[in-house]
Amino acid sequence: MQIKDLMEKAEQGEFQLLSLLSHTAKELQIKGIMTETGLSKTTITKYAEALNDFFEHQNLGISVFIEKESLCLIQSDNRYWKTMCYHFLEGAVKYQVLVYLFKHHHFTIQTLSQDLLVSEATLNRHLAQLNQLLQEHQTHLSLIHISEPTRPY
């Protein structure tokens, strides 16, 4: 499992773009980025603009320089990588489930869906995806359905 597997689709794309840009000292051609990521030119541009908004909002001194056919990451250093990773993960349901589980050790679908502000169907879908990711580590999340005791009439 890679960290990007816990992210939502848009954040995963932004993270992938940022990772590509941070691992090269020169500008990258958008066509090359499209080939590497499978993203369209429009999506790459949208993600680059979203990254710039985040960098500006956080005053990180980092920017993605966008030219017609290329992108370049301008940064002072890599010390903000942890902040950027958290930005991509904080809204991801799969990540929130893992954090919740580490804090509470057990949960019910109803309680967790209310705490994460997602529907039970959405939560179940993310739990299934998380279990697929955890399979490579020979582990999984077990769901135990607890029914309320019946009262004698």
Side-chain angles (χ1 to χ4, degrees):
M1 173 175 21
Q2 296 181 3
I3 195 167
K4 69 180 180 96
D5 295 330
L6 297 174
M7 298 174 190
E8 301 300 327
K9 185 178 179 182
E11 286 77 11
Q12 195 175 62
E14 291 174 18
F15 181 79
Q16 190 176 14
L17 178 60
L18 181 60
S19 294
L20 277 175
L21 292 169
S22 67
H23 287 95
T24 185
K26 57 182 173 65
E27 65 185 34
L28 291 175
Q29 296 299 310
I30 291 180
K31 285 188 180 188
I33 297 170
M34 290 169 62
T35 302
E36 181 78 24
T37 62
L39 299 172
S40 70
K41 182 178 180 179
T42 304
T43 301
I44 290 169
T45 304
K46 181 177 88 171
Y47 287 167
E49 290 169 353
L51 286 170
N52 278 334
D53 289 345
F54 168 70
F55 296 148
E56 184 179 329
H57 184 262
Q58 296 292 318
N59 296 317
L60 296 179
I62 303 170
S63 65
V64 177
F65 183 68
I66 306 169
E67 281 196 45
K68 276 188 172 183
E69 297 300 320
S70 64
L71 297 177
C72 180
L73 185 65
I74 300 169
Q75 61 183 354
S76 53
D77 56 41
N78 285 333
R79 65 184 166 147
Y80 299 112
W81 193 250
K82 185 177 178 181
T83 301
M84 290 184 285
C85 285
Y86 181 72
H87 163 71
F88 295 118
L89 287 169
E90 67 184 337
V93 174
K94 291 183 284 285
Y95 174 76
Q96 291 176 5
V97 167
L98 290 176
V99 169
Y100 189 95
L101 188 58
F102 285 124
K103 289 181 180 176
H104 298 94
H105 305 290
H106 65 278
F107 58 86
T108 65
I109 295 295
Q110 296 81 13
T111 303
L112 186 56
S113 67
Q114 290 171 357
D115 287 350
L116 299 182
L117 302 174
V118 297
S119 71
E120 290 180 24
T122 297
L123 178 59
N124 281 316
R125 187 172 52 256
H126 283 283
L127 288 172
Q129 292 168 353
L130 192 52
N131 272 330
Q132 283 181 322
L133 294 170
L134 292 172
Q135 276 181 344
E136 71 182 73
H137 302 288
Q138 288 80 38
T139 189
H140 68 279
L141 300 175
S142 286
L143 301 178
I144 301 172
H145 296 283
I146 302 171
S147 59
E148 301 237 353
T150 55
R151 294 186 199 189
Y153 294 103

